[in-house]
Every structure is written in C-alpha cells, then in structure tokens.
Amino acid sequence: MTERKSSLPRRPRPADNAFKGEKIRGGVNEPTYGGALSFMRRFYARDAKGADLAIWGVPFDAATSNRPGSRFGPQAIRRASAILEGDPQYPFGFDPFASLTAVDVGDCALDYGLVGNAPREIERQAKEILDTGATLVTLGGDHSVTYPLLKAHVAKHGPLALVQFDAHQDTWHPEEGRIDHGSFVARAVLEGLIDPKHSIQVGIRTHAPATHGIEMVDGNSIETLGPAGVAKRILKRVGKRKAYLSFDIDALDPAFAPGTGTPVAGGMSSREALLVLRALAPANFVGFDVMEVAPPYDHADITALAAAHIAMHFICLVAMRMGAKPRPVR
C-alpha cells in the first residue's frame, strides 16, 4: 500500500520551552502536564543580565519552629505555575511577559551541612542577581530567608518599607547570629533595614512581644475593612517609599493553604488576598517573596497553586509599572 502524505505542513509540538524556546517574551503553547518546569515556562538562565525580572528559588527550611518541608516549596510553586502560562492573566487581562523580559535563574546554592552559612550565601547570591538590574522574585523557603533578602535589597535601594502578609509578626528573639523564621522582622527593624513608620503587617492572628512600631491589620480587621479597605491602609502607610513585599502563605486560612509549617485558623481567603494585591499597583515595590509553602502537608497542590497566583499577581504589577494596560473582564 502506498503511504499517503498529508498536504499540511508538520509542525513540531512545543515542549521544554524553559530550555528550547525560540523567543524570550510572550507565552508558549506547551502542555501544562509535561515539560521542564520553570516558573510559568520562563527560560532558565545562568544569570539575569538583560532581564527585567528574575525568578529565584531558595530551598531552605532549617530555621522553622514547627513543621519542616518548605525546602520543597520552590519546586512545588514552579510545578503549579505551569497552569498559568500562555493566557492573559486574570483579572489583569494581559500577558505580563509581552511587556517584560523574565527569566528563571534556578535555585540558591546552599550546603545543607553548613546551615550557619545560609543567610550569608542567600544575601551574596541575591546581590549578584540584583546587580544585573533585574527585579527579584523569590520563592521560598522558610521566612528566615527574607532577612538576607532584605539586606541585599537595602544594599541597593537603602532602607525600605515592608509590606508583610503573615499570620505571625515574626518579632521574636532577635539575638545576633540566630537563624529563626520568627525573628527576621525584629532584626530588620533593629538593624535599620526597614522603616517601621512606613511598614505594615496584614493578616496577623497571633501575639508577639513587640510591634516595633509597625502598623498591623489583624485577621479580624480584614473582615471589617474588606480587601479595598486593606489595600487603602497599605498604600497610605507605605506612601511613596520604596517597598519590599513579603507574603508568608500562612496569611491565608488553612482551608486555602494547608501546606505550610505553622498554620493558623481565621486567615484570608485566596480571593481576598489576590484582590488586595491587585489594588497595590500604585506602590513602589522593588522586591518580592512568597514563603513557607510546605508541600508535604499540601493537598492537590492547593497551597502551591495559591503561591503561584500570588507571585503571578506581583509580576503583573511589575508589568503595569512598565506600561502594560489592564483590560476589563469580558
């Protein structure tokens, strides 16, 4: 039998855009269930030179006080983010990668046998990324990681306003040399990394020894204020200061983020958190992280998916700052 040949041109199915893609901007049509899992299918790059934005993982959880597992957070968030790539992002209505160049620079290199060196290495490697001029998006990791990240950003930008979504104030035991996910805020204030008069914590549902002058929107107040009211409080507090946004996934209620080390009932829903983030476009954010995703306690990637959406929302805010125009939902 003679083989029949189709008159239609054969086009290879796209795969592994993280390594083999032909364009660095825009979306790709790759199956969500296969291929190399960079964040939202971005190119893996050795460094961020020439990029507007760098996505970076810090798989460290040796400073957690309860359940470990957030060292697997960057992997899980990347995996969950695959479903987001290729479409206009809701509710922005645009592809952020059409207006900004973003690369995934992999994970922070850490020696698990030298835990005490981790903060210094995180800070050093973060500085190398920031020196390229890219905005840094970090996937954690326990919340102790934010302390060296703040040091790296402050070295570039000067003292910052901190916008922290969290169930905990993280103002415990700020002793010199202590590596602890519950003390990074106190240390940051005492060392002048953040300006407490322009900093705010959202979603707090526990008590701590001190506020260090940082404004607080506790969990119950979110119900009273609503997302628009919370965003208004944040923007008023931060003003025109350069700011750093840190989102501990336990700011969400355990119903929306079960996969975390220190869950606390009574938190925000995913929808509430995303509505607040969407309204923060006027803020001058110079850096971002999402922390404490612990996949061993997750179910069906609920927590990782929430973290991926949170990171995507921040990326869309960066794209808006670079000229992307939101489109109405139709």
Side-chain angles (χ1 to χ4, degrees):
M1 180 180 292
T2 303
E3 182 180 358
R4 297 183 64 185
K5 295 183 179 180
S6 172
S7 61
L8 297 175
R10 300 186 69 179
R11 305 178 68 180
R13 188 176 184 84
D16 294 330
N17 186 73
F19 297 107
K20 303 175 183 177
E22 297 178 353
K23 56 181 182 178
I24 197 167
R25 282 195 174 181
V28 296
N29 183 25
E30 185 166 351
T32 60
Y33 49 81
L37 289 172
S38 61
F39 186 83
M40 290 181 72
R41 303 293 192 187
R42 295 303 90 197
F43 280 102
Y44 272 116
R46 291 183 181 273
D47 59 54
K49 291 179 181 177
D52 302 312
L53 187 143
I55 299 105
W56 189 46
V58 182
F60 178 83
D61 66 359
T64 186
S65 59
N66 193 34
R67 306 187 302 195
S70 58
R71 67 182 62 185
F72 301 110
Q75 287 181 349
I77 297 169
R78 285 186 175 102
R79 181 175 66 249
S81 75
I83 199 171
L84 296 174
E85 200 286 322
D87 296 317
Q89 298 302 318
Y90 177 85
F92 301 90
F94 59 73
D95 175 3
F97 304 124
S99 58
L100 62 85
T101 301
V103 295
D104 190 322
V105 292
D107 285 348
C108 181
L110 298 171
D111 188 332
Y112 68 88
L114 297 171
V115 175
N117 291 346
R120 183 167 58 253
E121 275 301 303
I122 294 167
E123 179 185 357
R124 182 185 67 80
Q125 293 176 47
K127 283 181 177 178
E128 290 179 353
I129 298 171
L130 292 172
D131 284 346
T132 68
T135 297
L136 182 57
V137 170
T138 304
L139 315 175
D142 71 47
H143 223 161
S144 71
V145 170
T146 299
Y147 170 69
L149 289 176
L150 282 171
K151 292 182 72 175
H153 282 80
V154 168
K156 182 178 180 66
H157 299 286
L160 300 169
L162 175 67
V163 177
Q164 176 189 357
F165 289 78
D166 209 318
H168 312 87
Q169 293 174 257
D170 295 335
T171 56
W172 291 86
H173 312 304
E175 293 99 340
E176 179 67 28
R178 185 180 180 90
I179 304 174
D180 179 359
H181 73 159
S183 64
F184 86 89
V185 173
R187 292 187 67 182
V189 173
L190 293 174
E191 294 179 19
L193 302 178
I194 62 174
D195 182 352
K197 297 189 299 296
H198 291 277
S199 297
I200 187 167
Q201 298 174 318
V202 178
I204 304 299
R205 306 187 299 285
T206 54
H207 294 283
T211 66
H212 289 280
I214 298 173
E215 185 176 349
M216 187 191 309
V217 179
D218 67 86
N220 289 338
S221 296
I222 292 171
E223 177 71 19
T224 304
L225 292 169
V230 173
K232 185 176 180 180
R233 286 272 293 272
I234 294 171
L235 293 173
K236 181 178 179 181
R237 183 70 170 181
V238 171
K240 296 182 179 180
R241 292 293 301 269
K242 290 183 177 180
Y244 186 92
L245 175 58
S246 182
F247 199 111
D248 188 321
I249 205 66
D250 69 25
L252 303 183
D253 189 86
F256 302 92
T260 191
T262 315
V264 181
M268 306 172 76
S269 69
S270 300
R271 182 178 62 83
E272 288 172 328
L274 296 177
L275 282 169
V276 174
L277 290 173
R278 171 63 181 82
L280 297 183
N284 185 16
F285 290 119
V286 297
F288 164 86
D289 64 55
V290 57
M291 296 290 166
E292 299 283 357
V293 174
Y297 314 103
D298 208 1
H299 173 72
D301 285 341
I302 293 172
T303 312
L305 188 60
H309 276 82
I310 288 163
M312 178 273 289
H313 268 57
F314 178 80
I315 290 171
C316 285
L317 296 185
V318 176
M320 288 174 63
R321 193 166 68 228
M322 298 186 66
K325 301 297 182 183
R327 300 172 184 172
V329 178
R330 296 177 180 175

